[in-house]
């Protein structure tokens, strides 16, 4: 296994700039999720690493090796595509063994290795079938088996779960995570599903418009988003964003002054804060006339079984609140929204996070 490095990688298709100087380093043995909305350049970034596309500028390294100009077969990586790309005329065993056959691995060694990876992925009983005789989840396992059958320097996976139904996706999410931990494999996993990224990865790289927004461990992406885009792309329901102004004592949100301690207020002032960000779980439903709560009106109530999502219309915009399962408010009712400003983050007018939530040490950052 090896580390992976993108160095100032640019990719344009004619006038369309798809990657605008991508710098990204994936440490050896780590699982990186490349997360971003449709069209942000995720697949393009993977294809450049795999050698299926050439960058317009910049370099890619696998381990110490500059592989930018190498043929795909000389890069020692394995890629799992969304479509699985199995050979329909071959059996499962032949599909899995194909990368070894190409390399001239003798029959006996190949057979043993096929058996070994088929056992890991629990598809040993399917080896004589053709891909058309398999379910989506079984095909997906075969594609994974084919990727791990030779020990590549890195695994690249492009939305490998997107063709599966919701239930199977959930199961395979855990299975792939286990598999990658067991193999201790350097992995780049492309997804537009923020839950997949957070649950599976050691690091999440969030992309938008061909640019890397932030790369960090999942919890940091969630708790300390670099900007408004990351803050709202990760989390479901997304972080609430409201216009914010400063007063002598605190921040003015939805027509109400919420007191801030002196250090936080000074940090907000220095940064010319324009908006406040609040996660739904950091907001709570309060009685309509609660003194320090924002005042609003219930817009939608969504019982989820274990909790209730309440959407509240405030001056300045709507917010989502995670309330308990016992929540009994009805649409149109007046309601208070309470929050601890220590859990809020603040954005400047450029959309960058100027003041983060207070961390565990009580340090203002
Ligand atoms: N061969 C190509 N020629 C021209 N434009 C392309 C080509 N490949 C990709 N693009 C464009 O580049 C942009 C990024 O595409 P890419 O496939 O990398 O996005 P993505 O992040 O993988 O999106 P998705 O989540 O939908 O798969 C898109 O606007 C796409 O239309
Ligand atoms: Mg894609």
């Amino acid at each position: 296994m090896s580390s992976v490095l993108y160095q100032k990688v640019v990719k344009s298709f004619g006038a369309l700039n798809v990657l605008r100087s991508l710098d990204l380093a994936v440490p050896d043995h780590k699982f990186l999720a490349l997360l971003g909305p449709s069209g942000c350049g995720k697949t393009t970034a993977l294809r450049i690493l795999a050698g299926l596309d050439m960058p317009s500028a910049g370099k890619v390294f696998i381990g110490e090796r500059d592989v930018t100009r190498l043929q795909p077969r000389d890069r020692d990586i394995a890629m799992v595509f969304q479509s699985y790309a199995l050979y329909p005329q071959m059996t499962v065993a032949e599909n899995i063994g194909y990368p070894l056959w190409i390399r001239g691995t003798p029959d006996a060694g190949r057979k043993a290795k096929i058996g070994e990876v088929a056992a890991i992925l629990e598809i040993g009983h399917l080896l004589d079938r053709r891909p058309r005789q398999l379910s989506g989840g079984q095909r997906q396992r075969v594609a994974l088996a084919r990727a791990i059958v030779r020990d590549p320097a890195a695994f690249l996976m492009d939305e490998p779960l997107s063709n599966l139904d919701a239930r199977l996706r959930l199961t395979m999410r855990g299975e792939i995570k286990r598999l990658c931990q067991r193999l201790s494999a350097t992995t780049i996993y492309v997804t537009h599903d923020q839950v997949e990224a957070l649950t599976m990865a050691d690091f999440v790289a969030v992309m938008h418009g061909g640019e890397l927004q932030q790369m960090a461990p999942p919890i940091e992406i969630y708790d300390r988003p670099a900007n408004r885009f990351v803050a709202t792309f990760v989390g479901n329901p997304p972080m609430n964003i409201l216009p914010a102004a400063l007063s002598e004592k605190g921040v003015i949100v939805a027509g109400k002054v919420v007191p801030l301690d002196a250090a936080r207020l000074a940090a907000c002032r220095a940064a010319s804060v324009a908006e406040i960000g609040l996660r739904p779980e950091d907001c709570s439903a309060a009685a309509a006339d609660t003194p320090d709560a924002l005042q609003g009106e219930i817009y939608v109530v969504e019982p989820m079984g274990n909790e209730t999502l309440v959407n509240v219309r405030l001056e300045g915009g709507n917010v989502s609140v995670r309330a308990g399962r016992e929540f009994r408010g009805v649409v149109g009712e007046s309601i208070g929204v309470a929050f601890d400003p220590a859990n809020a983050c603040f954005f400047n007018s450029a959309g960058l996070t100027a003041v983060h939530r207070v961390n565990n040490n009580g340090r203002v950052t």
Side-chain angles (χ1 to χ4, degrees):
M1 286 294 154
S2 300
S3 56
V4 167
L5 179 69
Y6 289 80
Q7 206 174 65
K8 296 190 170 31
V9 171
V10 175
K11 180 66 180 178
S12 311
F13 292 107
L16 184 68
N17 297 321
V18 176
L19 297 177
R20 305 160 184 266
S21 196
L22 178 66
D23 284 309
L24 187 64
V26 190
D28 205 2
H29 304 296
K30 295 296 181 192
F31 187 125
L32 175 104
L34 197 52
L35 174 69
S38 187
C40 74
K42 306 181 296 292
T43 296
T44 304
L46 264 204
R47 289 178 56 87
I48 286 173
L49 187 64
L52 303 171
D53 276 331
M54 271 292 154
S56 312
K59 291 179 178 176
V60 282
F61 294 81
I62 298 174
E64 300 292 298
R65 224 162 43 125
D66 179 350
V67 299
T68 318
R69 304 277 153 214
L70 293 187
Q71 291 296 315
R73 65 171 178 277
D74 298 327
R75 295 191 180 203
D76 194 22
I77 51 141
M79 186 150 168
V80 180
F81 297 89
Q82 178 180 344
S83 59
Y84 313 144
L86 300 176
Y87 301 107
Q89 74 282 13
M90 293 185 191
T91 63
V92 166
E94 287 163 347
N95 265 286
I96 297 174
Y98 187 74
L100 301 179
W101 182 77
I102 288 278
R103 297 179 157 209
T105 309
D107 283 0
R110 203 166 72 231
K111 197 152 183 262
K113 192 75 190 170
I114 292 169
E116 192 183 309
V117 298
I120 292 173
L121 285 152
E122 297 174 13
I123 47 174
H125 58 297
L126 303 174
L127 289 177
D128 295 328
R129 294 207 199 163
R130 314 259 166 201
R132 65 169 184 282
Q133 298 167 308
L134 302 177
S135 71
Q138 290 168 335
R139 280 180 210 172
Q140 211 266 346
R141 284 169 193 265
V142 176
L144 282 171
R146 187 177 56 183
I148 67 169
V149 74
R150 58 189 178 88
D151 301 312
F155 288 130
L156 311 186
M157 305 195 197
D158 192 356
E159 312 238 10
L161 304 183
S162 57
N163 284 341
L164 304 180
D165 66 49
R167 203 188 176 98
L168 196 51
R169 211 154 57 214
L170 216 66
T171 316
M172 285 309 295
R173 186 171 90 192
E175 293 294 330
I176 292 181
K177 182 171 181 176
R178 270 182 68 91
L179 181 66
C180 290
Q181 279 171 347
R182 171 168 174 178
L183 301 170
S184 185
T186 308
T187 303
I188 302 186
Y189 184 102
V190 161
T191 180
H192 60 260
D193 181 335
Q194 49 105 18
V195 178
E196 262 177 33
L198 293 183
T199 53
M200 298 174 84
D202 298 310
F203 294 97
V204 179
V206 183
M207 283 181 67
H208 179 47
E211 289 182 350
L212 181 67
Q213 306 293 308
Q214 185 174 11
M215 172 171 150
I219 290 297
E220 193 172 331
I221 292 277
Y222 192 81
D223 279 346
R224 300 175 56 79
N227 58 38
R228 196 182 195 284
F229 177 81
V230 176
T232 51
F233 193 74
V234 173
N236 187 26
M239 182 184 277
N240 301 303
I241 311 272
L242 290 168
L246 299 176
S247 77
E248 288 293 302
K249 293 213 176 105
V251 57
I252 308 169
V253 191
K256 193 125 192 163
V257 178
V258 180
L260 292 180
D261 66 55
R264 226 159 145 69
L265 186 56
C268 283
R269 191 159 283 135
S272 305
V273 152
E275 288 174 312
I276 183 171
L278 287 165
R279 294 250 175 237
E281 63 271 27
D282 292 324
C283 299
S284 58
D289 48 3
T290 307
D292 280 338
L294 310 179
Q295 302 301 313
E297 185 179 281
I298 299 177
Y299 186 70
V300 181
V301 179
E302 297 173 307
M304 308 285 288
N306 61 334
E307 63 179 3
T308 307
L309 292 179
V310 186
N311 195 274
V312 179
R313 172 166 284 172
L314 299 174
E315 181 186 323
N318 282 32
V319 295
S320 296
V321 176
R322 278 189 204 279
R325 56 187 288 173
E326 71 290 343
F327 183 82
R328 289 290 172 269
V330 295
V331 172
E333 242 174 39
S334 293
I335 187 172
V337 175
F339 67 93
D340 178 349
N343 294 329
C345 65
F346 296 88
F347 305 101
N348 65 19
S349 53
L352 300 177
T353 312
V355 178
H356 286 280
R357 64 188 293 146
V358 178
N359 70 17
N360 292 341
N361 309 324
R363 186 162 54 92
V364 178
T365 45

